[in-house]
Amino acid sequence: MGVVEKIQEIEREMARTQKNKATEYHIGLLKAKLAKLRQQLLEPTGKGGAKGEGFDVMKSGDARVAMVGFPSVGKSTLLSSLTKTHSEAAGYEFTTLTWIPGVIEHEGAKIQLLDLPGIIEGAAQGKGRGRQVIAVAKTADLVLMMLDAGKSDQQRALLERELDSVGIRLNKKKPQIYVQIKKGGGVRFTHTVPLTHVNEKLIMHVLHEYKLFNADVVFREDATIDEFIDVLQGNRVYIPCLYVYNKVDCICIEEVDRLARLPHHVVISCEMNLNLDYLVDVIWDYLALVRVYTKKPGNQPDLGINIM
């Protein structure tokens, strides 16, 4: 049985297992096994086989923003609208087959904007060059999830699941969990806050699944078992995300208002050039860049302003 088949089998077992106090240890072990298999799928240890084509672009500017989304949601049109780079846009899917970088100049900063090929369901398993696309997204300072306002929210859920399965945590902070592997002394588990999602027995089960029998574990927040597994994996990235709904000119004003009021949401229309300036302002806020002015000792700082 291959790795993909094992992943599917564990996912089916988790789906049919009722969640209660009696099964929490079993589910915790299944989640640990699932995380290990997904890591094995993304980073195979085998030495055989030819190397694939590289799929990355040198990071430049003051920040990197990566656009991810399904085919034909308007990523290429948005890139052409916000930057001086032209990205081919057409009425058929998979117009963009490789990365296309552009630069947004805003508030004196240069923000690299990447138009990535469309993601399809199963991208985490390598379908449609999904692994390469997601690998580039992991290097971004901000993810723009492009969505079609005329389609259901299932599109967003599928994208979030694909990104989550490869270790990209959207709009989340790194868990306050300390794990120190030791050479001996067994496992010492402590917590500084009351825990409602895990207990010492469950933590021991997961550590043994990872063949860890000597470690110091400290919970500084009421974290879940999934967050603890993320810390053990050690390769998760926590990236802010903006959900950008394009083609709002095709839906009713009530739906536009509903989407615009949701957290981390921006509604635009690339075709009609609606709300693009506001989108750039929100991108700037989410990047939270800090401008530092230097000065010579005894002199006033040069703020880049010509004083007459």
Side-chain angles (χ1 to χ4, degrees):
M1 182 183 294
V3 177
V4 176
E5 288 77 15
K6 291 180 181 179
I7 290 175
Q8 293 173 346
E9 179 62 30
I10 292 177
E11 289 176 341
R12 286 193 292 267
E13 184 174 353
M14 290 177 61
R16 63 174 176 261
T17 301
Q18 294 184 354
K19 295 182 180 181
N20 51 52
K21 283 290 184 181
T23 61
E24 64 180 5
Y25 303 110
H26 178 61
I27 293 177
L29 286 177
L30 290 178
K31 289 180 176 179
K33 291 179 180 178
L34 186 61
K36 289 174 63 179
L37 288 172
R38 284 175 173 168
Q39 182 65 23
Q40 182 180 344
L41 183 66
L42 293 172
E43 299 178 7
T45 57
K47 297 181 180 179
K51 293 184 179 180
E53 181 185 352
F55 193 79
D56 199 0
V57 58
M58 181 180 296
K59 195 170 185 177
S60 64
D62 302 296
R64 167 180 282 189
V65 178
M67 290 189 290
V68 299
F70 285 105
S72 298
V73 293
K75 298 188 299 296
S76 299
T77 306
L78 181 62
L79 180 76
S80 301
S81 301
L82 297 183
T83 71
K84 298 178 181 178
T85 303
H86 174 70
S87 182
E88 185 67 28
Y92 52 86
E93 296 184 347
F94 298 106
T95 311
T96 304
L97 299 178
T98 186
W99 50 261
I100 300 176
V103 176
I104 300 175
E105 297 184 2
H106 186 69
E107 298 288 345
K110 293 184 177 180
I111 303 170
Q112 186 182 51
L113 182 64
L114 291 182
D115 178 16
L116 300 176
I119 292 178
I120 62 175
E121 188 175 1
Q125 282 75 43
K127 294 182 179 179
R129 305 189 74 182
R131 290 185 194 172
Q132 295 95 323
V133 173
I134 294 173
V136 176
K138 294 181 78 170
T139 67
D141 301 297
L142 173 67
V143 170
L144 287 189
M145 185 178 292
M146 291 288 293
L147 301 164
D148 190 333
K151 296 185 178 180
S152 66
D153 288 338
Q154 183 182 10
Q155 198 178 61
R156 170 182 167 178
L158 289 173
L159 283 171
E160 288 178 331
R161 186 174 64 188
E162 293 296 331
L163 296 177
D164 187 79
S165 65
V166 296
I168 298 179
R169 302 293 180 256
L170 301 177
N171 294 325
K172 293 182 180 179
K173 294 183 178 180
K174 187 175 182 179
Q176 296 299 308
I177 303 173
Y178 170 81
V179 178
Q180 177 65 49
I181 309 302
K182 304 184 298 183
K183 294 183 178 179
V187 175
R188 185 174 63 181
F189 174 73
T190 56
H191 54 90
T192 59
V193 296
L195 301 180
T196 60
H197 304 290
V198 300
N199 54 40
E200 184 173 358
K201 181 180 177 182
L202 179 56
I203 295 300
M204 293 294 185
H205 275 73
V206 174
L207 286 173
H208 292 169
E209 176 63 29
Y210 278 85
K211 303 296 189 293
L212 297 176
F213 304 100
N214 302 283
D216 289 335
V217 179
V218 182
F219 273 61
R220 296 192 176 99
E221 66 174 78
D222 186 17
T224 64
I225 191 62
D226 298 282
E227 292 173 324
F228 178 62
I229 292 172
D230 285 348
V231 173
L232 289 181
Q233 289 289 121
N235 60 351
R236 306 313 195 209
V237 293
Y238 300 84
I239 307 176
C241 175
L242 271 177
Y243 301 97
V244 181
Y245 280 82
N246 188 26
K247 306 178 184 179
V248 294
D249 52 300
C250 300
I251 60 177
C252 64
I253 190 64
E254 291 80 10
E255 181 66 10
V256 173
D257 183 67
R258 184 188 71 84
L259 291 174
R261 294 179 183 275
L262 295 175
H264 312 298
H265 282 53
V266 177
V267 293
I268 65 170
S269 173
C270 295
E271 189 70 25
M272 300 185 67
N273 200 31
L274 296 176
N275 221 25
L276 298 187
D277 291 338
Y278 175 71
L279 173 60
V280 174
D281 290 336
V282 176
I283 290 174
W284 174 258
D285 292 337
Y286 269 65
L287 289 174
L289 296 177
V290 176
R291 181 180 285 110
V292 177
Y293 297 97
T294 61
K295 75 180 188 71
K296 294 180 180 180
N299 294 345
Q300 293 295 321
D302 181 8
L303 304 179
I305 303 174
N306 294 323
I307 301 177
M308 300 302 291

